Every structure is written in structure tokens, then in C-alpha cells.
Amino acid sequence: MRLLTFMKAGKYALGIKLDHGIIDIEAALAVEPDNRVPVSVTHILEGGDHAVASLENYLEKLDNKSDSSYMLNEEEIVWGPSVTHPNKIICIGLNYRKHADETGAAYPEYPILFNKFNNALTGHQSDIAVPNVTKKLDYEVELGIVIGKQGKYISKDNALDHVFGYCTANDLSARDLQRRTPQWLLGKSCDGFCPIGPFLVTSDEVADPNHLKLQTTVNGEIRQNSTTADMIFACDEIISYISQHMTLVPGDIILTGTPEGVMMGYPEAKQNYLKPGDKVTVEVEGLGALSNEFIKEQS
């Protein structure tokens, strides 16, 4: 399934992406009621296999004609982040060989962990303000892992069993703030610095997360073009490693690192960081393209 969230009456609503449109689950339940069906991404993640089964059974019975009253077009909606209330947003730094090479960094012996907060979350097609406090805002296409099953001390062999699904993410980074101190947090956690979406794709639709193409374009120009096969620590290794130190719970998001092609990796004379008016699209194979426009921050 391809899940998504969109704004409806001032709150996030659940949608299901089909080839011919989007099912508004709340509107569908008003026509075909079923109190077993979850009405948000959070409810699905918290409800686990039972919630997924209830939703799948409901969708099998539902009339999904394109002219149904509960079918929407993508152009009609205001997108939300594909996961709205994660307990944790955990990010992996320097996890691609060629990205480490372009920045002159040694390959890490262990995964480098840092975090973002919920204030950073935003969705597809949302405008993102370039903070007044940075002159070096950079893009980073990333594969996002969304946990669906609680666990600690998870083995590498069982790690992917704890994954609910995957999403496209952009780990926006203010490089001047990131490098101000040895701790990266400040440069990673400004408002809107974690757009994810447009979809949360369930794990059964992703055959191998360690072999997916990734791409970034800025104003139509390709900047990043790589594959998750270049990761130093694969998805199962990352999940297992994190779980040795903290309990992973449903809805946790793990951003798995970015490949080469970030602006920080360019020669200084050719560095052209993001500015108001730029449009960035990041895409992970099979998960959808996530686009955002950048605007001037209002004081």
C-alpha cells in the first residue's frame, strides 16, 4: 500500500494512493462505515498487523471508481508528512562511500547517529523558509525507514521484520550551523528541515531497500544520482545497531544517509547553496518524488 496524509478541516487525514486517484478514508467511512478501520497513519502504525489487515479488507470491498465521492486527485490536496508524530527521528551521517570521499572524511567504524525533531517535519509541495541564520542550506536525498514493530537488541537477521515501510526524505542541512560546533544538531533541526513523503510505502512493496536508485534535482538540474548499494551500513545493520542502545517503537523514522553530490562536496568556488525561489525534488526508486520550494523567512 501507498499511504499518505493530507490536510482536512485543519488536521491530518489518511489517504490511500491508487493508480487513478487517492481514497479519502474518512470520507469513504462516511459512505461505507466500519469502526475497525484506522483513520490515520499513526493509528495504523500503533495498531500493527491487525490495523493493516482491517484496512486491506476494507479496501478490497470498497468501490474504488474514479468518480466515487471519496476519491481525490493529487492536485486537490495539501500534503502532510507521510508520518506525522514519530517518537524519534534518527539520522545516519556519512553513510555513503562516495559522499564520505567527496567531503574528505574517513569511513566511520560505527554508524554516526544524530537526530531531528518533529518541528522539522513537513510534506510534499510545502514551502520551506530558508532560515535567516544560515547562508549554506544544502539538500540531501535519503531513504527513510519507518519502524512498525517495537524492539530492542534486534538481530541483523530479524531487523527488516521490524520495518513497516519506507519513504523518500530530504535531510536539509545548514552547513555553516552544522560545522559551528562538533555536534551537528543545530544545522539539522531548523523548522521544515525534514520533508518526508509523498507516500509511506509498505515494506512488502520494496524488494530490497539496499538496492534503490536515488536522485536530487535543483531547478531541474540533476545534483545527486546514486544508489543505496553505496551505503557503508545497510538498512538491517542500521536498525540492529540503533536497537542495541534504545528501544525502537512504531512510527520511529530512520534517515539512512545521503549519497555524493551535495553542495558541501563541491569545490568552494562552485558552491551554490539553496536560496529563496529554488525548487528541490528528491526521489527514491519506487517511493515517489518529494518536491519543495524555498522561500524567504519572515522576521
Side-chain angles (χ1 to χ4, degrees):
M1 280 191 296
R2 290 174 170 257
L3 312 176
L4 60 103
T5 64
F6 63 97
M7 295 302 299
K8 183 177 182 179
K11 63 182 181 65
Y12 291 126
L14 173 64
I16 307 297
K17 177 68 171 70
L18 304 179
D19 290 341
H20 57 280
I22 294 168
I23 301 174
D24 177 345
I25 290 296
E26 183 180 76
L29 287 169
V31 176
E32 297 289 344
D34 186 335
N35 59 15
R36 297 167 297 181
V37 175
V39 294
S40 72
V41 168
T42 300
H43 290 154
I44 295 171
L45 291 166
E46 292 176 348
D49 292 342
H50 178 74
V52 172
S54 296
L55 181 57
E56 288 177 337
N57 291 336
Y58 182 72
L59 294 174
E60 287 179 5
K61 301 173 186 176
L62 194 66
D63 182 355
N64 294 329
K65 293 179 181 177
S66 58
D67 59 353
S68 299
S69 61
Y70 40 79
M71 293 294 294
L72 305 173
N73 294 319
E74 290 189 19
E75 294 75 17
E76 298 175 332
I77 68 172
V78 175
W79 299 80
S82 52
V83 177
T84 57
H85 297 94
N87 181 274
K88 296 184 282 295
I89 305 173
I90 305 167
C91 309
I92 313 298
L94 290 173
N95 194 34
Y96 281 71
R97 294 171 181 84
K98 292 179 182 177
H99 174 52
D101 294 342
E102 73 178 349
T103 60
Y107 296 173
E109 185 178 354
Y110 301 99
I112 298 172
L113 305 188
F114 61 92
N115 66 297
K116 291 177 180 272
F117 302 107
N118 285 359
N119 69 296
L121 288 172
T122 192
H124 177 50
Q125 294 185 350
S126 66
D127 291 341
I128 298 175
V130 178
N132 295 327
V133 291
T134 182
K135 301 297 184 184
K136 294 185 176 182
L137 180 57
D138 211 347
Y139 49 80
E140 292 190 7
V141 61
E142 306 210 3
L143 168 66
I145 298 171
V146 179
I147 297 298
K149 180 181 176 183
Q150 181 171 319
K152 192 173 184 184
Y153 304 118
I154 301 167
S155 71
K156 179 182 172 182
D157 289 343
N158 295 328
L160 295 187
D161 294 338
H162 289 258
V163 175
F164 177 87
Y166 302 90
C167 60
T168 302
N170 189 351
D171 175 19
L172 291 166
S173 305
R175 301 301 187 188
D176 41 4
L177 302 182
Q178 179 183 348
R179 291 183 162 184
R180 180 178 289 178
T181 66
Q183 169 56 254
W184 295 355
L185 175 66
L186 190 61
K188 296 285 191 172
S189 58
C190 296
D191 294 342
F193 271 26
C194 189
I196 58 171
F199 311 113
L200 171 55
V201 180
T202 51
S203 59
D204 60 296
E205 295 196 14
V206 180
D208 184 356
N210 299 309
H211 287 86
L212 299 175
K213 296 177 183 177
L214 310 96
Q215 188 174 95
T216 297
T217 61
V218 179
N219 303 324
E221 176 190 357
I222 295 175
R223 297 281 183 85
Q224 293 182 279
N225 192 19
S226 189
T227 168
T228 56
D230 190 46
M231 288 195 293
I232 297 169
F233 303 103
C235 294
D236 51 0
E237 295 176 279
I238 291 169
I239 294 167
S240 178
Y241 179 79
I242 294 171
S243 78
Q244 306 308 307
H245 305 87
M246 63 190 81
T247 301
L248 291 171
V249 299
D252 283 349
I253 301 169
I254 302 171
L255 304 189
T256 56
T258 198
E260 77 281 7
V262 297
M263 192 51 56
M264 181 176 66
Y266 281 59
E268 188 170 353
K270 294 185 177 181
Q271 289 179 352
N272 181 22
Y273 285 97
L274 298 176
K275 59 188 181 300
D278 286 342
K279 181 176 180 179
V280 177
T281 299
V282 293
E283 184 171 6
V284 179
E285 181 182 0
L287 305 182
L290 168 68
S291 296
N292 299 97
E293 292 193 18
F294 290 80
I295 61 173
K296 181 177 176 59
E297 183 177 46
Q298 300 301 310
S299 300

